[in-house]
Amino acid sequence: MCRQDEAGFPQKQLETAFLHSLRLLEQNREYLQMHLQPLKDARTAQALEDMEQEAARLERTFRELMELSAPEGPVQKRPVDLCRLLAQLEGLRGEIDAQSSTKLTVDCGGLEQCLVWGDREMAEQICFHLLSNALRAVAPGGNIQVCLRQTGQDIRLTIEDDGCRRFLGGAQAGLLLCRRYCRQLGWELALLPRTPQGVRAELTLPLPTRPFPIETTVEFRSQPSHPDEHSTTALQHQLRRELYLLTRRHAGN
């Protein structure tokens, strides 16, 4: 019988080797940028931007596949406030409009707090994948709507766009990760077509069946206790990076 560290060694070794290769690729790109950018050649500049985007895409796909290859262990569920999660998306509304000409609408249905049992990092990653792919689906001037509703039967979080939804990568790792996280959390994810075009991603969450701790404090990863206009969460950082790469990709077309 293999010890636990021996069983996990090949995956760790693969991750180390791949990340080392990514660092070499980034170093080569920076070297080329340093020597070629002063030429101010449009084709060279475009090639450097393409290398940057593909390296970022490759790194993201690899990390997603490594996460998918890990065994599904039990999740220690904690209180997650979906209203605070959506507030992170709301905080990027102006940037999304300015950089991609996409109108983002966030509607909590009048709720100030919506606590569910879950995992905040998984919840953030689900929203990240669904929103980042909606951004890639819509054309300039398009619309993305994020809505939260609570009924007597369940809680529903929807992200819908008026574009043509595509999940990145041939393996659709982002969609697979969303489905995996939902399965672990006991949530349901459905992708429904909209008329005349677009996709509605619908998360259905069960109503809490056990009480939350008294004076529950819900904080998101990397979120300061007293956020201000200069602070950023891990989710916002990821989305800003995606928005930056998306904007540069469109600029190169």
Side-chain angles (χ1 to χ4, degrees), residues 182-209:
C182 287
R183 183 168 60 249
Q184 290 180 276
L185 295 172
W187 301 354
E188 295 181 5
L189 171 61
L191 298 181
L192 308 171
R194 297 181 68 226
T195 302
Q197 64 180 13
V199 169
R200 173 186 175 98
E202 185 174 274
L203 284 168
T204 303
L205 292 67
L207 293 173
T209 57

Side-chain angles (χ1 to χ4, degrees), residues 33 35-46 48:
Q33 185 177 30
H35 288 278
L36 298 179
Q37 198 169 43
L39 299 177
K40 297 183 179 180
D41 176 76
R43 294 181 62 183
T44 300
Q46 184 61 51
L48 291 172

